[in-house]
Amino acid sequence: MPAGPDLFAASVDVNRFAPLAERMRPRTPEEFIGQSHLLGPGAPLRQLIERKSIVSCLFGGPPGVGKTTLARMLAASVDAEFVILSAVSDGIPRIREVVAEAERLRNQYHRRTVVFVDEIHRWAKNVQEQALPHVESGLLILLGATTENISFEVRPALVSRCRVFLLRELTPADLRTALLRALSEEKRGLGARRLSASDEALSVLVEGSGGDVRKALGGLELAAQLTADGAEISRETALQATGTRLARHNKDGDEHFELLSALQKSCRGSNPQGAIFWAARLLQTGDHVALWRRLKVIAVEDVGLAMPEAIGIVRACEEGFHSVGMPEGRIFVAQATLLLATAKKSNRGYQAMDAALAAVEAHPNAAPPLHLRNAPTELMKELGYKKGYEAPWNHKDHYVPGQTYLPEPLERSVFYRPSKEGHEAEIHERMSHWWREDKASRGE
């Protein structure tokens, strides 16, 4: 029977034309950079590899931190057939083929099958369901990698049958170690060219990578191509190699919503420094629709009635942004963001609506009291419609003490309790007066 594929066949001995990042891919835990919480002495993943044991695992974390490498390393530690599936193009028919072959290998050769799916968050839900019973039975050992939130993007039933390992973003020191190793390694790296790099050049490559070791090594490889053998890679050459750094962003991914959350929490926490930074990050992504939508939400959810004119100002800034375009449009974003971050805050309106919705759910058939109903016909008047209703215009302060406006089971409910922040302090004072009038009308 032919042996399974060599998971590290991209070494320089086999393919010297592979990218530097592929050639430098770690093959043992000792070569791995970072992730000591998973690969340090006694750490769970280290133990699995050393004991040549394997279970279904999901690896989550930012791009370029070693998820795929760890999956390959774990698979290479055991004697098993290794199958790579595409999360995009391999559907149910391919799963059935893999299952049939896995059953044949198990029955004839007592050989296990390891299935690796990169970007497993792209795996269609029906394909995940097709694979589930075979992962559950142990016929297939699943190794999956994703940059997205595993809890949201992978079927819960599949997650429950896998060990989940979360990788952390690499530190600048980790990335510098990877670059220096690639410069010195003769067999797989650039050591044969006797290159060096200035501290400034290394800093440029690290900063330009955005925490992604593949990008860092890719930048080093291009910088090396622009440098003569035996020479030093300069800061200027590193800048040429890295080019314009683009912030990592996927508007459909978790990070997009994390940026929006950071913006809202900074505004809510009255921190203009954080608010303007996260607004700038979102502005840079180009998803201006999401940015303005979130600013409008903040205006009513977090500022609310403490400054009721905030929503109007934000909408005016949005209109100005679209009217003048970039780059001047950034000023409108700044004005709206800083206004919201420094304004008085109240979420009492938000809380009031949630309380009212809960009451509606508890009393779905609650009807308006008769005195609030119109009486366009004589019959309706005879039935008591509108009877006893008093219009507020003929009363002091345009308020009718004791007149009820809620259905009978909820008559004394209080959904909105104004704060004493900003404009809402005035509302609080006015409502307190009304409450005193109501109590007096009831003889309390």
Side-chain angles (χ1 to χ4, degrees), residues 46-79:
R46 179 70 170 262
Q47 291 187 52
L48 285 177
I49 294 171
E50 290 178 343
R51 295 174 182 175
K52 298 187 181 301
S53 179
I54 190 168
V55 295
S56 291
C57 299
L58 297 174
F59 299 92
V65 295
K67 299 181 297 296
T68 300
T69 298
L70 278 181
R72 289 186 177 188
M73 195 179 293
L74 183 59
S77 68
V78 298
D79 180 26

PDB file of all heavy atoms in Angstrom, residues 46-79:
ATOM      1  N   ARG A  46       1.586  19.660  23.307  1.00  0.00           N
ATOM      2  CA  ARG A  46       2.933  19.077  23.352  1.00  0.00           C
ATOM      3  C   ARG A  46       2.853  17.606  23.775  1.00  0.00           C
ATOM      4  O   ARG A  46       3.544  16.737  23.210  1.00  0.00           O
ATOM      5  CB  ARG A  46       3.794  19.879  24.320  1.00  0.00           C
ATOM      6  CG  ARG A  46       5.228  19.374  24.504  1.00  0.00           C
ATOM      7  CD  ARG A  46       6.041  19.616  23.245  1.00  0.00           C
ATOM      8  NE  ARG A  46       7.452  19.360  23.454  1.00  0.00           N
ATOM      9  CZ  ARG A  46       8.348  20.306  23.716  1.00  0.00           C
ATOM     10  NH1 ARG A  46       7.975  21.577  23.798  1.00  0.00           N
ATOM     11  NH2 ARG A  46       9.611  20.001  23.857  1.00  0.00           N
ATOM     12  N   GLN A  47       2.007  17.332  24.755  1.00  0.00           N
ATOM     13  CA  GLN A  47       1.864  15.949  25.221  1.00  0.00           C
ATOM     14  C   GLN A  47       1.291  15.051  24.142  1.00  0.00           C
ATOM     15  O   GLN A  47       1.743  13.911  23.963  1.00  0.00           O
ATOM     16  CB  GLN A  47       0.976  15.915  26.460  1.00  0.00           C
ATOM     17  CG  GLN A  47       1.603  16.546  27.695  1.00  0.00           C
ATOM     18  CD  GLN A  47       0.756  16.339  28.930  1.00  0.00           C
ATOM     19  OE1 GLN A  47       0.384  15.211  29.242  1.00  0.00           O
ATOM     20  NE2 GLN A  47       0.457  17.415  29.639  1.00  0.00           N
ATOM     21  N   LEU A  48       0.297  15.543  23.397  1.00  0.00           N
ATOM     22  CA  LEU A  48      -0.276  14.735  22.327  1.00  0.00           C
ATOM     23  C   LEU A  48       0.779  14.379  21.286  1.00  0.00           C
ATOM     24  O   LEU A  48       0.855  13.232  20.822  1.00  0.00           O
ATOM     25  CB  LEU A  48      -1.429  15.494  21.658  1.00  0.00           C
ATOM     26  CG  LEU A  48      -2.756  15.597  22.408  1.00  0.00           C
ATOM     27  CD1 LEU A  48      -3.743  16.449  21.625  1.00  0.00           C
ATOM     28  CD2 LEU A  48      -3.349  14.206  22.649  1.00  0.00           C
ATOM     29  N   ILE A  49       1.598  15.372  20.909  1.00  0.00           N
ATOM     30  CA  ILE A  49       2.616  15.134  19.888  1.00  0.00           C
ATOM     31  C   ILE A  49       3.679  14.170  20.399  1.00  0.00           C
ATOM     32  O   ILE A  49       4.086  13.230  19.687  1.00  0.00           O
ATOM     33  CB  ILE A  49       3.242  16.477  19.452  1.00  0.00           C
ATOM     34  CG1 ILE A  49       2.194  17.345  18.743  1.00  0.00           C
ATOM     35  CG2 ILE A  49       4.444  16.248  18.543  1.00  0.00           C
ATOM     36  CD1 ILE A  49       2.642  18.760  18.456  1.00  0.00           C
ATOM     37  N   GLU A  50       4.150  14.376  21.616  1.00  0.00           N
ATOM     38  CA  GLU A  50       5.202  13.520  22.160  1.00  0.00           C
ATOM     39  C   GLU A  50       4.728  12.091  22.367  1.00  0.00           C
ATOM     40  O   GLU A  50       5.508  11.139  22.219  1.00  0.00           O
ATOM     41  CB  GLU A  50       5.718  14.110  23.472  1.00  0.00           C
ATOM     42  CG  GLU A  50       6.520  15.402  23.282  1.00  0.00           C
ATOM     43  CD  GLU A  50       6.986  16.003  24.594  1.00  0.00           C
ATOM     44  OE1 GLU A  50       6.422  15.605  25.647  1.00  0.00           O
ATOM     45  OE2 GLU A  50       7.878  16.872  24.567  1.00  0.00           O
ATOM     46  N   ARG A  51       3.459  11.927  22.711  1.00  0.00           N
ATOM     47  CA  ARG A  51       2.925  10.580  22.943  1.00  0.00           C
ATOM     48  C   ARG A  51       2.420   9.933  21.656  1.00  0.00           C
ATOM     49  O   ARG A  51       1.880   8.834  21.685  1.00  0.00           O
ATOM     50  CB  ARG A  51       1.786  10.649  23.960  1.00  0.00           C
ATOM     51  CG  ARG A  51       2.239  11.092  25.350  1.00  0.00           C
ATOM     52  CD  ARG A  51       1.058  11.288  26.272  1.00  0.00           C
ATOM     53  NE  ARG A  51       1.478  11.747  27.598  1.00  0.00           N
ATOM     54  CZ  ARG A  51       0.655  12.083  28.563  1.00  0.00           C
ATOM     55  NH1 ARG A  51      -0.660  12.019  28.361  1.00  0.00           N
ATOM     56  NH2 ARG A  51       1.124  12.498  29.725  1.00  0.00           N
ATOM     57  N   LYS A  52       2.582  10.659  20.538  1.00  0.00           N
ATOM     58  CA  LYS A  52       2.102  10.178  19.232  1.00  0.00           C
ATOM     59  C   LYS A  52       0.633   9.773  19.316  1.00  0.00           C
ATOM     60  O   LYS A  52       0.198   8.729  18.828  1.00  0.00           O
ATOM     61  CB  LYS A  52       2.953   9.008  18.742  1.00  0.00           C
ATOM     62  CG  LYS A  52       4.415   9.389  18.536  1.00  0.00           C
ATOM     63  CD  LYS A  52       5.202   8.272  17.903  1.00  0.00           C
ATOM     64  CE  LYS A  52       6.660   8.646  17.735  1.00  0.00           C
ATOM     65  NZ  LYS A  52       6.855   9.846  16.906  1.00  0.00           N
ATOM     66  N   SER A  53      -0.113  10.627  19.989  1.00  0.00           N
ATOM     67  CA  SER A  53      -1.548  10.421  20.141  1.00  0.00           C
ATOM     68  C   SER A  53      -2.267  11.514  19.362  1.00  0.00           C
ATOM     69  O   SER A  53      -1.735  12.610  19.175  1.00  0.00           O
ATOM     70  CB  SER A  53      -1.932  10.481  21.620  1.00  0.00           C
ATOM     71  OG  SER A  53      -3.315  10.310  21.796  1.00  0.00           O
ATOM     72  N   ILE A  54      -3.469  11.223  18.896  1.00  0.00           N
ATOM     73  CA  ILE A  54      -4.176  12.225  18.100  1.00  0.00           C
ATOM     74  C   ILE A  54      -5.678  12.119  18.356  1.00  0.00           C
ATOM     75  O   ILE A  54      -6.229  11.019  18.486  1.00  0.00           O
ATOM     76  CB  ILE A  54      -3.869  12.051  16.590  1.00  0.00           C
ATOM     77  CG1 ILE A  54      -4.403  13.249  15.806  1.00  0.00           C
ATOM     78  CG2 ILE A  54      -4.411  10.743  16.045  1.00  0.00           C
ATOM     79  CD1 ILE A  54      -3.911  13.303  14.372  1.00  0.00           C
ATOM     80  N   VAL A  55      -6.305  13.253  18.469  1.00  0.00           N
ATOM     81  CA  VAL A  55      -7.755  13.345  18.601  1.00  0.00           C
ATOM     82  C   VAL A  55      -8.222  14.447  17.660  1.00  0.00           C
ATOM     83  O   VAL A  55      -7.423  15.243  17.158  1.00  0.00           O
ATOM     84  CB  VAL A  55      -8.183  13.685  20.052  1.00  0.00           C
ATOM     85  CG1 VAL A  55      -7.818  12.566  21.007  1.00  0.00           C
ATOM     86  CG2 VAL A  55      -7.549  15.003  20.502  1.00  0.00           C
ATOM     87  N   SER A  56      -9.504  14.502  17.401  1.00  0.00           N
ATOM     88  CA  SER A  56     -10.042  15.570  16.557  1.00  0.00           C
ATOM     89  C   SER A  56      -9.834  16.910  17.253  1.00  0.00           C
ATOM     90  O   SER A  56     -10.130  17.052  18.442  1.00  0.00           O
ATOM     91  CB  SER A  56     -11.527  15.335  16.279  1.00  0.00           C
ATOM     92  OG  SER A  56     -11.708  14.206  15.438  1.00  0.00           O
ATOM     93  N   CYS A  57      -9.311  17.874  16.503  1.00  0.00           N
ATOM     94  CA  CYS A  57      -8.964  19.175  17.084  1.00  0.00           C
ATOM     95  C   CYS A  57      -9.379  20.304  16.153  1.00  0.00           C
ATOM     96  O   CYS A  57      -9.374  20.147  14.925  1.00  0.00           O
ATOM     97  CB  CYS A  57      -7.455  19.296  17.311  1.00  0.00           C
ATOM     98  SG  CYS A  57      -6.755  18.082  18.441  1.00  0.00           S
ATOM     99  N   LEU A  58      -9.706  21.439  16.755  1.00  0.00           N
ATOM    100  CA  LEU A  58      -9.953  22.669  16.013  1.00  0.00           C
ATOM    101  C   LEU A  58      -8.973  23.718  16.513  1.00  0.00           C
ATOM    102  O   LEU A  58      -8.829  23.915  17.719  1.00  0.00           O
ATOM    103  CB  LEU A  58     -11.395  23.147  16.213  1.00  0.00           C
ATOM    104  CG  LEU A  58     -12.499  22.209  15.697  1.00  0.00           C
ATOM    105  CD1 LEU A  58     -13.867  22.748  16.102  1.00  0.00           C
ATOM    106  CD2 LEU A  58     -12.413  22.064  14.186  1.00  0.00           C
ATOM    107  N   PHE A  59      -8.305  24.388  15.568  1.00  0.00           N
ATOM    108  CA  PHE A  59      -7.316  25.407  15.911  1.00  0.00           C
ATOM    109  C   PHE A  59      -7.842  26.774  15.479  1.00  0.00           C
ATOM    110  O   PHE A  59      -8.152  26.981  14.304  1.00  0.00           O
ATOM    111  CB  PHE A  59      -5.984  25.121  15.218  1.00  0.00           C
ATOM    112  CG  PHE A  59      -5.364  23.812  15.605  1.00  0.00           C
ATOM    113  CD1 PHE A  59      -5.610  22.659  14.874  1.00  0.00           C
ATOM    114  CD2 PHE A  59      -4.550  23.722  16.719  1.00  0.00           C
ATOM    115  CE1 PHE A  59      -5.051  21.436  15.232  1.00  0.00           C
ATOM    116  CE2 PHE A  59      -3.983  22.507  17.093  1.00  0.00           C
ATOM    117  CZ  PHE A  59      -4.233  21.364  16.351  1.00  0.00           C
ATOM    118  N   GLY A  60      -7.960  27.691  16.412  1.00  0.00           N
ATOM    119  CA  GLY A  60      -8.443  29.026  16.110  1.00  0.00           C
ATOM    120  C   GLY A  60      -7.399  30.069  16.466  1.00  0.00           C
ATOM    121  O   GLY A  60      -6.578  29.870  17.357  1.00  0.00           O
ATOM    122  N   GLY A  61      -7.431  31.199  15.746  1.00  0.00           N
ATOM    123  CA  GLY A  61      -6.493  32.273  16.040  1.00  0.00           C
ATOM    124  C   GLY A  61      -6.298  33.180  14.850  1.00  0.00           C
ATOM    125  O   GLY A  61      -6.813  32.918  13.759  1.00  0.00           O
ATOM    126  N   PRO A  62      -5.544  34.271  15.025  1.00  0.00           N
ATOM    127  CA  PRO A  62      -5.312  35.225  13.935  1.00  0.00           C
ATOM    128  C   PRO A  62      -4.538  34.580  12.796  1.00  0.00           C
ATOM    129  O   PRO A  62      -3.947  33.499  12.960  1.00  0.00           O
ATOM    130  CB  PRO A  62      -4.495  36.336  14.608  1.00  0.00           C
ATOM    131  CG  PRO A  62      -4.623  36.106  16.069  1.00  0.00           C
ATOM    132  CD  PRO A  62      -4.873  34.664  16.272  1.00  0.00           C
ATOM    133  N   PRO A  63      -4.467  35.236  11.638  1.00  0.00           N
ATOM    134  CA  PRO A  63      -3.685  34.696  10.517  1.00  0.00           C
ATOM    135  C   PRO A  63      -2.196  34.657  10.845  1.00  0.00           C
ATOM    136  O   PRO A  63      -1.675  35.523  11.546  1.00  0.00           O
ATOM    137  CB  PRO A  63      -3.957  35.687   9.377  1.00  0.00           C
ATOM    138  CG  PRO A  63      -5.193  36.414   9.772  1.00  0.00           C
ATOM    139  CD  PRO A  63      -5.197  36.459  11.259  1.00  0.00           C
ATOM    140  N   GLY A  64      -1.529  33.632  10.311  1.00  0.00           N
ATOM    141  CA  GLY A  64      -0.077  33.583  10.377  1.00  0.00           C
ATOM    142  C   GLY A  64       0.514  33.323  11.740  1.00  0.00           C
ATOM    143  O   GLY A  64       1.632  33.753  12.019  1.00  0.00           O
ATOM    144  N   VAL A  65      -0.195  32.581  12.608  1.00  0.00           N
ATOM    145  CA  VAL A  65       0.363  32.287  13.933  1.00  0.00           C
ATOM    146  C   VAL A  65       0.686  30.805  14.107  1.00  0.00           C
ATOM    147  O   VAL A  65       1.196  30.409  15.149  1.00  0.00           O
ATOM    148  CB  VAL A  65      -0.594  32.740  15.064  1.00  0.00           C
ATOM    149  CG1 VAL A  65      -0.753  34.244  15.054  1.00  0.00           C
ATOM    150  CG2 VAL A  65      -1.957  32.057  14.953  1.00  0.00           C
ATOM    151  N   GLY A  66       0.382  29.978  13.085  1.00  0.00           N
ATOM    152  CA  GLY A  66       0.792  28.581  13.132  1.00  0.00           C
ATOM    153  C   GLY A  66      -0.303  27.552  13.244  1.00  0.00           C
ATOM    154  O   GLY A  66      -0.030  26.395  13.580  1.00  0.00           O
ATOM    155  N   LYS A  67      -1.536  27.899  12.937  1.00  0.00           N
ATOM    156  CA  LYS A  67      -2.641  26.939  13.072  1.00  0.00           C
ATOM    157  C   LYS A  67      -2.456  25.740  12.138  1.00  0.00           C
ATOM    158  O   LYS A  67      -2.543  24.586  12.562  1.00  0.00           O
ATOM    159  CB  LYS A  67      -3.976  27.639  12.772  1.00  0.00           C
ATOM    160  CG  LYS A  67      -4.292  28.781  13.701  1.00  0.00           C
ATOM    161  CD  LYS A  67      -5.627  29.421  13.379  1.00  0.00           C
ATOM    162  CE  LYS A  67      -5.652  30.053  12.003  1.00  0.00           C
ATOM    163  NZ  LYS A  67      -4.702  31.180  11.883  1.00  0.00           N
ATOM    164  N   THR A  68      -2.210  26.022  10.865  1.00  0.00           N
ATOM    165  CA  THR A  68      -2.039  24.944   9.897  1.00  0.00           C
ATOM    166  C   THR A  68      -0.801  24.121  10.227  1.00  0.00           C
ATOM    167  O   THR A  68      -0.813  22.884  10.127  1.00  0.00           O
ATOM    168  CB  THR A  68      -1.926  25.530   8.474  1.00  0.00           C
ATOM    169  OG1 THR A  68      -3.112  26.259   8.179  1.00  0.00           O
ATOM    170  CG2 THR A  68      -1.742  24.424   7.451  1.00  0.00           C
ATOM    171  N   THR A  69       0.268  24.780  10.623  1.00  0.00           N
ATOM    172  CA  THR A  69       1.505  24.078  10.973  1.00  0.00           C
ATOM    173  C   THR A  69       1.289  23.129  12.137  1.00  0.00           C
ATOM    174  O   THR A  69       1.760  21.982  12.122  1.00  0.00           O
ATOM    175  CB  THR A  69       2.605  25.091  11.320  1.00  0.00           C
ATOM    176  OG1 THR A  69       2.863  25.899  10.170  1.00  0.00           O
ATOM    177  CG2 THR A  69       3.879  24.385  11.735  1.00  0.00           C
ATOM    178  N   LEU A  70       0.564  23.576  13.152  1.00  0.00           N
ATOM    179  CA  LEU A  70       0.298  22.709  14.300  1.00  0.00           C
ATOM    180  C   LEU A  70      -0.535  21.501  13.904  1.00  0.00           C
ATOM    181  O   LEU A  70      -0.294  20.387  14.370  1.00  0.00           O
ATOM    182  CB  LEU A  70      -0.413  23.498  15.399  1.00  0.00           C
ATOM    183  CG  LEU A  70       0.466  24.340  16.319  1.00  0.00           C
ATOM    184  CD1 LEU A  70      -0.374  25.038  17.363  1.00  0.00           C
ATOM    185  CD2 LEU A  70       1.515  23.473  17.000  1.00  0.00           C
ATOM    186  N   ALA A  71      -1.529  21.722  13.034  1.00  0.00           N
ATOM    187  CA  ALA A  71      -2.351  20.601  12.580  1.00  0.00           C
ATOM    188  C   ALA A  71      -1.498  19.587  11.829  1.00  0.00           C
ATOM    189  O   ALA A  71      -1.607  18.363  12.035  1.00  0.00           O
ATOM    190  CB  ALA A  71      -3.479  21.117  11.694  1.00  0.00           C
ATOM    191  N   ARG A  72      -0.625  20.064  10.960  1.00  0.00           N
ATOM    192  CA  ARG A  72       0.253  19.159  10.209  1.00  0.00           C
ATOM    193  C   ARG A  72       1.221  18.441  11.151  1.00  0.00           C
ATOM    194  O   ARG A  72       1.497  17.246  10.987  1.00  0.00           O
ATOM    195  CB  ARG A  72       1.041  19.949   9.171  1.00  0.00           C
ATOM    196  CG  ARG A  72       0.212  20.461   8.009  1.00  0.00           C
ATOM    197  CD  ARG A  72       1.117  21.105   6.971  1.00  0.00           C
ATOM    198  NE  ARG A  72       0.380  21.553   5.808  1.00  0.00           N
ATOM    199  CZ  ARG A  72       0.949  22.002   4.696  1.00  0.00           C
ATOM    200  NH1 ARG A  72       2.259  22.066   4.616  1.00  0.00           N
ATOM    201  NH2 ARG A  72       0.217  22.393   3.671  1.00  0.00           N
ATOM    202  N   MET A  73       1.740  19.179  12.129  1.00  0.00           N
ATOM    203  CA  MET A  73       2.680  18.590  13.070  1.00  0.00           C
ATOM    204  C   MET A  73       2.013  17.473  13.868  1.00  0.00           C
ATOM    205  O   MET A  73       2.604  16.403  14.100  1.00  0.00           O
ATOM    206  CB  MET A  73       3.200  19.685  14.006  1.00  0.00           C
ATOM    207  CG  MET A  73       4.427  19.315  14.791  1.00  0.00           C
ATOM    208  SD  MET A  73       4.950  20.708  15.848  1.00  0.00           S
ATOM    209  CE  MET A  73       5.456  21.895  14.594  1.00  0.00           C
ATOM    210  N   LEU A  74       0.792  17.712  14.292  1.00  0.00           N
ATOM    211  CA  LEU A  74       0.058  16.701  15.056  1.00  0.00           C
ATOM    212  C   LEU A  74      -0.204  15.477  14.193  1.00  0.00           C
ATOM    213  O   LEU A  74      -0.032  14.337  14.642  1.00  0.00           O
ATOM    214  CB  LEU A  74      -1.257  17.300  15.557  1.00  0.00           C
ATOM    215  CG  LEU A  74      -2.138  16.412  16.439  1.00  0.00           C
ATOM    216  CD1 LEU A  74      -1.385  15.977  17.696  1.00  0.00           C
ATOM    217  CD2 LEU A  74      -3.421  17.140  16.825  1.00  0.00           C
ATOM    218  N   ALA A  75      -0.603  15.695  12.936  1.00  0.00           N
ATOM    219  CA  ALA A  75      -0.877  14.564  12.040  1.00  0.00           C
ATOM    220  C   ALA A  75       0.385  13.792  11.725  1.00  0.00           C
ATOM    221  O   ALA A  75       0.360  12.550  11.602  1.00  0.00           O
ATOM    222  CB  ALA A  75      -1.523  15.081  10.759  1.00  0.00           C
ATOM    223  N   ALA A  76       1.514  14.491  11.571  1.00  0.00           N
ATOM    224  CA  ALA A  76       2.764  13.832  11.229  1.00  0.00           C
ATOM    225  C   ALA A  76       3.300  12.981  12.365  1.00  0.00           C
ATOM    226  O   ALA A  76       4.153  12.109  12.151  1.00  0.00           O
ATOM    227  CB  ALA A  76       3.807  14.871  10.833  1.00  0.00           C
ATOM    228  N   SER A  77       2.814  13.213  13.596  1.00  0.00           N
ATOM    229  CA  SER A  77       3.333  12.468  14.753  1.00  0.00           C
ATOM    230  C   SER A  77       2.748  11.062  14.851  1.00  0.00           C
ATOM    231  O   SER A  77       3.210  10.262  15.667  1.00  0.00           O
ATOM    232  CB  SER A  77       3.031  13.239  16.040  1.00  0.00           C
ATOM    233  OG  SER A  77       1.632  13.269  16.308  1.00  0.00           O
ATOM    234  N   VAL A  78       1.753  10.749  14.035  1.00  0.00           N
ATOM    235  CA  VAL A  78       1.123   9.433  14.094  1.00  0.00           C
ATOM    236  C   VAL A  78       1.159   8.783  12.718  1.00  0.00           C
ATOM    237  O   VAL A  78       1.309   9.443  11.689  1.00  0.00           O
ATOM    238  CB  VAL A  78      -0.343   9.532  14.588  1.00  0.00           C
ATOM    239  CG1 VAL A  78      -0.404  10.099  15.989  1.00  0.00           C
ATOM    240  CG2 VAL A  78      -1.182  10.368  13.647  1.00  0.00           C
ATOM    241  N   ASP A  79       1.022   7.471  12.705  1.00  0.00           N
ATOM    242  CA  ASP A  79       0.978   6.719  11.444  1.00  0.00           C
ATOM    243  C   ASP A  79      -0.469   6.678  10.980  1.00  0.00           C
ATOM    244  O   ASP A  79      -1.266   5.876  11.461  1.00  0.00           O
ATOM    245  CB  ASP A  79       1.521   5.313  11.657  1.00  0.00           C
ATOM    246  CG  ASP A  79       1.486   4.487  10.375  1.00  0.00           C
ATOM    247  OD1 ASP A  79       1.519   5.100   9.284  1.00  0.00           O
ATOM    248  OD2 ASP A  79       1.408   3.255  10.463  1.00  0.00           O
TER     249      ASP A  79
END
